[in-house]
Amino acid sequence: MKRILIILCVLAAPVFGAQAPSTLIANVSGRTTMSLNGAWRAIIDPYETGIGGKFYENRKPRDKRDLVEYDFDGSPVLKVPGDWNSQRADLFFYEGPVWYRKTFSYRKREHVREFIYFGAANYKAAAYLNGKKIGEHQGGFTSFNFEVTDTLRNGENFLVVEVNNQRTKDEVPSSNTDFWNYGGLTRDVSLVEVPETFVQDYVVQLTRGSLNEISGWVRLNGAAQTSQVTLEIPGAGIKKLISTDSEGFGEFRIPSKIELWSPENPKLYKVSLSTGGNTITDEIGFRSIEARGTKLILNGKPIVLRGVSMHEEAPFRGGRAFSQEDDQTLLGWVKELHCNFVRLAHYPHNESMTRLADRLGLIVWSEIPVYWETAWENTATLQNAEDQLRDMISRDHNRASVAFWSVANETPVTPARLTFLKVLVGDARKLDSTRLVTAALNHAVTSAPNTKTLADPLAEFLDVIGLNEYMAWYTKDTFEDIDRTKWTIPYDKPLIVSEFGAGAPFGNHGEAEAIWTEEYQASMYDHQIKMLRQIPSFAGMSPWVLMDFHSPRRLLPGTQDYMNRKGLISDRGQRKKAFYTLQEIYRGMMESSGH
Ligand code: GCU
C-alpha cells in the first residue's frame, strides 16, 4: 500500500498556534540517523545548465554516441557540512548554483520510514534521490526534511542537491547585508529512520506565567493517529499518559515541583516521549521569562542581561560555523566576558549552538533574517519570512536558553513594513506563547538638545524593544556628546540595547580619539554603557560584536579587507582592549546583582 504521509495540519488547539505546522522533525539528534556528511562531489554551475542537463539523473554516457556534459565522479569534492566560499579560494565570491552529489548504500527494513534531514542549506535547495525530486526549500538558516521511504533503494542510492545562493531583493534576507552570503550545505545532512507512526514534534515547557506547571503538546506523524504517548521526566518524578486525537495531536498540563533553569543554574532534565514501543529523549530546562512593565522577569525575579551579539562565523578558519567545536569556542568567549545573554544575529544559528547555550546557562535572542530593506509588499516574501519564523520556533521551542524571538533587524519605518512585521509578531505569539517577541529598531530622533528618542510604531506591538544605535561611530557625536545624552524610550516595556560598537583591527593602537584604534573602541564601550544604563527601561544589552566577521561591504584596505572589525576579539582569537573593558564592567554588574 502506497505509504501515505499524513502530516497533521490541524492546529485547532486553542492554546498553541494557528498556522500550518512545520513539517520539521524535532530533535533529530535524539533519533536513529545515518550521517550523510563528508565529501560530496560538486559541480559549480553559474548558468544553471544542470536543470536542462538533468544533472539530478547523475547519468553516465550510455554508449560512445551518448552526449552527457557533466560527470560527478570527475568533479571536485566539497565537504559537507560547510559553505563553499571558505573551502576554495576560487569560490570566495561565488554566488550561484552548485550541484552536490552523495552516493551511499542502505539496507531497507520493514515498518521503518526514512527522511532526509538538512540542518540548513543556503539559500535555495532542490533535492533529488535516485533521480526523483524529493523536495525543495528556501531560507539559508532553517532546517528541513523530506520523506524518502518510497524513493530509497535497498543497496546503492544517489542524492543530488542543487543549492543556489543567488541574492534577490524579494528573498529573506534581501540582497544587501553586512554579512557574507556563504553558500552550500552548511549544516549536517542525515538520513533519519522512524517507525510508521512517530512523535514528529512536541513542546514540553513551563506554562506561561507559571513556575509549577509543565504543559505542552505532542504531534504524531503516521497512520495510528489516536494513540497514547507516555511523557516521562524521571528527575521530576513525572510520568504522564497523553492521548492524541484523530489528528494525532495531544495536549497536557502537569502540576510539578521542578528545579528551574537559569544562567547561574542551567538545570536540564532528561525528558522522554514514547509511543508504539519507540522512544525519543531530549534534555530540557524549565524557566519562565516575562516582561513586567520595563522589567525583564526570569523565574519571577528581575534580571539584567549582560550580553553580546555574534554571527555564526567560525573562529580561526572563517566560513559558516557548524561544529560543536566552533560553538564551544564562540560561546566560551561569551562566558569569558561574564555574559548571561547572547544575541544570535541575524538568523537562526545551528541547533547545537542553542543546545550548548542551554548547558552553559546563556539566555538567547534568536532572529530571522528580515534585515534592512525587504520586499514588504511582496506576499511571497512575507510567506517566506513566516515560514522561516515558524521553522525557527519549531526547531528551538524546547530550548530553555531561547527567550526572545526577533522578527527583524534595522528595518525602515514605513506603513508597508509595519503591516509585514505585525503579521510576524502575531505568528510568533500564536506559535509560542511562552517567549517574548522583539525586533532590533534603529529609528531614533534628536527630540531636544542632548536628547535622543526612539520613535518607531512597531514598538507598540513588541514585548521587548531592541535598540541599535551607533553614536560616535556612524554619527558625528563625540564621547562628550554621549556623556551628555539622555535617551527617552516612550514605551512601558523592557529595553535591550541590541547593538552599539566601534571598529578596530587587533593591534592597531593610538589616541583614544582616533577611530580604528583599540583605544577608541574601548572608550566607546565605557561612554556608551554609562549612558545606556541610565535609561529607566534599560534591561540589558548585546554590543556589536563578539568577533570580527566577513562582510562584502567592508572594503577599507589594510583595515577592513572584507572584514567587519567591530569584534571584541579578532577572527584569530586575539582579544582587543574593549574585550577587557566589557569583561570588567560585566564582572561588576554580576557582583552587584549577585548573579
Ligand atoms: C548594523 C547591523 C549589523 C552590522 C552593524 C555594523 O547595525 O545590524 O548587521 O554589521 O550595524 O554596521 O557593523
Side-chain angles (χ1 to χ4, degrees):
M1 187 237 355
K2 173 153 182 33
R3 192 186 304 282
I4 305 167
L5 171 61
I6 305 167
I7 296 192
L8 306 163
C9 295
V10 181
L11 283 182
V15 181
F16 303 100
Q19 198 190 9
S22 171
T23 57
L24 199 57
I25 296 176
N27 184 15
V28 159
S29 55
R31 299 181 193 260
T32 310
T33 59
M34 179 175 102
S35 174
L36 296 173
N37 288 348
W40 291 50
R41 296 283 174 178
I43 301 175
I44 315 304
D45 180 15
Y47 282 42
E48 209 167 25
T49 314
I51 300 278
K54 297 187 175 157
F55 285 11
Y56 50 82
E57 290 178 345
N58 183 33
R59 209 160 68 70
K60 296 283 185 190
R62 289 192 194 92
D63 55 46
K64 59 180 177 296
R65 270 298 286 105
D66 187 12
L67 175 62
V68 178
E69 292 184 295
Y70 71 94
D71 177 17
F72 278 108
D73 293 325
S75 301
V77 157
L78 280 176
K79 284 195 299 276
V80 171
D83 62 276
W84 57 66
N85 311 77
S86 63
Q87 286 190 53
R88 280 177 31 191
D90 63 326
L91 295 178
F92 185 58
F93 289 103
Y94 182 72
E95 296 179 298
V98 170
W99 293 83
Y100 285 83
R101 186 212 65 188
K102 180 78 175 174
T103 57
F104 61 95
S105 53
Y106 182 72
R107 200 171 58 73
K108 297 273 294 170
R109 285 170 300 124
E110 275 298 295
H111 310 302
V112 172
R113 294 169 61 193
E114 293 93 358
F115 291 75
I116 303 273
Y117 181 91
F118 297 86
N122 191 47
Y123 176 78
K124 279 195 175 151
Y128 307 79
L129 183 63
N130 302 327
K132 195 156 169 289
K133 188 158 193 179
I134 56 174
E136 53 187 55
H137 180 266
Q138 63 182 359
F141 305 98
T142 45
S143 311
F144 54 100
N145 42 249
F146 304 128
E147 174 148 20
V148 292
T149 308
D150 295 334
T151 326
L152 200 56
R153 293 180 190 144
N154 216 359
E156 282 315 300
N157 293 270
F158 62 89
L159 176 62
V160 172
V161 186
E162 181 199 359
V163 181
N164 187 345
N165 70 336
Q166 212 108 44
R167 285 170 294 122
T168 79
K169 65 172 188 38
D170 295 315
E171 302 302 338
V172 178
S174 181
S175 49
N176 182 19
T177 66
D178 190 27
F179 50 90
W180 209 264
N181 182 25
Y182 291 117
L185 295 173
T186 51
R187 295 180 189 155
D188 295 345
V189 181
S190 51
L191 191 142
V192 185
E193 298 180 340
V194 289
E196 284 166 331
T197 298
F198 65 97
V199 174
Q200 174 175 333
D201 196 0
Y202 52 90
V203 162
V204 185
Q205 291 278 282
L206 275 187
T207 303
R208 180 189 169 85
S210 161
L211 296 181
N212 46 36
E213 183 189 71
I214 291 176
S215 60
W217 49 263
V218 292
R219 180 176 304 118
L220 295 180
N221 179 324
Q225 298 304 304
T226 49
S227 299
Q228 299 232 303
V229 177
T230 307
L231 164 65
E232 285 183 82
I233 312 179
I238 289 175
K239 184 165 183 164
K240 172 89 177 172
L241 214 52
I242 306 161
S243 304
T244 55
D245 62 19
S246 59
E247 311 292 332
F249 190 79
E251 296 177 274
F252 59 89
R253 286 174 180 279
I254 311 166
S256 46
K257 280 223 134 328
I258 203 101
E259 190 180 331
L260 299 172
W261 180 97
S262 67
E264 308 73 58
N265 175 39
K267 167 73 180 173
L268 299 177
Y269 282 85
K270 185 167 160 298
V271 173
S272 68
L273 290 153
S274 315
T275 189
N278 180 263
T279 298
I280 175 160
T281 58
D282 203 342
E283 283 210 308
I284 298 180
F286 299 92
R287 56 97 192 92
S288 93
I289 185 81
E290 296 165 78
R292 262 189 231 147
T294 61
K295 293 269 175 285
L296 273 176
I297 308 292
L298 178 76
N299 299 335
K301 298 195 203 72
I303 185 168
V304 172
L305 302 177
R306 304 184 306 272
V308 70
S309 293
M310 62 178 247
H311 267 293
E312 188 190 37
E313 184 151 311
F316 310 112
R317 73 165 197 278
R320 187 62 68 214
F322 58 79
S323 68
Q324 301 247 354
E325 195 203 346
D326 294 336
D327 300 345
Q328 257 133 23
T329 303
L330 292 165
L331 295 189
W333 288 337
V334 172
K335 289 290 282 185
E336 193 187 328
L337 277 169
H338 302 305
C339 289
N340 58 8
F341 172 55
V342 63
R343 176 181 177 218
L344 302 181
H346 292 291
Y347 37 77
H349 289 208
N350 61 75
E351 186 172 353
S352 69
M353 187 81 83
T354 49
R355 285 183 177 276
L356 181 57
D358 268 9
R359 291 196 296 279
L360 292 177
L362 285 168
I363 294 170
V364 165
W365 161 310
S366 186
E367 184 163 286
I368 52 170
V370 175
Y371 180 94
W372 291 349
E373 194 48 70
T374 297
W376 309 113
E377 325 249 2
N378 181 329
T379 52
T381 305
L382 175 58
Q383 187 57 56
N384 181 346
E386 287 190 84
D387 293 349
Q388 294 192 35
L389 179 70
R390 176 201 60 204
D391 294 344
M392 169 175 79
I393 293 176
S394 173
R395 192 199 73 186
D396 283 353
H397 51 202
N398 286 307
R399 302 282 71 77
S401 57
V402 180
F404 307 99
W405 301 124
S406 171
V407 296
N409 178 70
E410 293 195 352
T411 47
V413 175
T414 66
R417 165 258 194 185
L418 184 61
T419 308
F420 187 108
L421 295 181
K422 278 167 68 178
V423 171
L424 296 177
V425 170
D427 288 354
R429 294 224 171 88
K430 276 183 228 133
L431 288 164
D432 178 5
S433 63
T434 68
R435 290 179 175 81
L436 301 171
V437 181
T438 188
L441 313 179
N442 65 333
H443 196 256
V445 295
T446 303
S447 47
N450 303 320
T451 307
K452 294 255 184 225
T453 299
L454 177 66
D456 188 330
L458 179 66
E460 290 300 339
F461 303 92
L462 303 174
D463 299 318
V464 170
I465 295 168
L467 167 67
N468 293 4
E469 57 83 13
Y470 281 90
M471 289 178 70
W473 187 257
Y474 292 127
T475 74
K476 289 279 167 274
D477 296 298
T478 63
F479 291 148
E480 291 63 41
D481 293 329
I482 289 182
D483 298 346
R484 282 191 292 269
T485 295
K486 291 271 169 289
W487 280 84
T488 52
I489 311 288
Y491 307 99
D492 182 28
K493 300 180 181 194
L495 174 79
I496 295 176
V497 180
S498 34
E499 290 186 36
F500 69 83
F506 173 76
N508 186 36
H509 293 284
E511 299 161 64
E513 280 66 39
I515 64 165
W516 297 120
T517 62
E518 287 197 33
E519 286 68 20
Y520 189 91
Q521 186 190 39
S523 239
M524 174 71 82
Y525 275 71
D526 264 329
H527 290 275
Q528 280 272 9
I529 296 174
K530 281 200 190 71
M531 169 186 72
L532 296 169
R533 291 181 69 188
Q534 290 165 30
I535 302 174
S537 58
F538 176 83
M541 59 186 159
S542 53
W544 193 261
V545 65
L546 177 71
M547 182 186 84
D548 292 354
F549 60 94
H550 284 89
S551 166
R553 296 167 48 84
R554 306 297 170 180
L555 313 175
L556 188 57
T559 298
Q560 294 179 311
D561 302 315
Y562 296 107
M563 296 290 289
N564 183 311
R565 297 289 183 194
K566 294 192 180 71
L568 294 165
I569 300 181
S570 76
D571 54 310
R572 308 235 157 283
Q574 303 145 312
R575 292 154 183 72
K576 304 176 191 177
K577 238 170 150 346
F579 178 94
Y580 300 106
T581 304
L582 185 61
Q583 188 185 48
E584 262 331 285
I585 292 170
Y586 280 174
R587 186 201 311 278
M589 287 170 72
M590 190 169 69
E591 278 153 14
S592 61
S593 68
H595 54 77

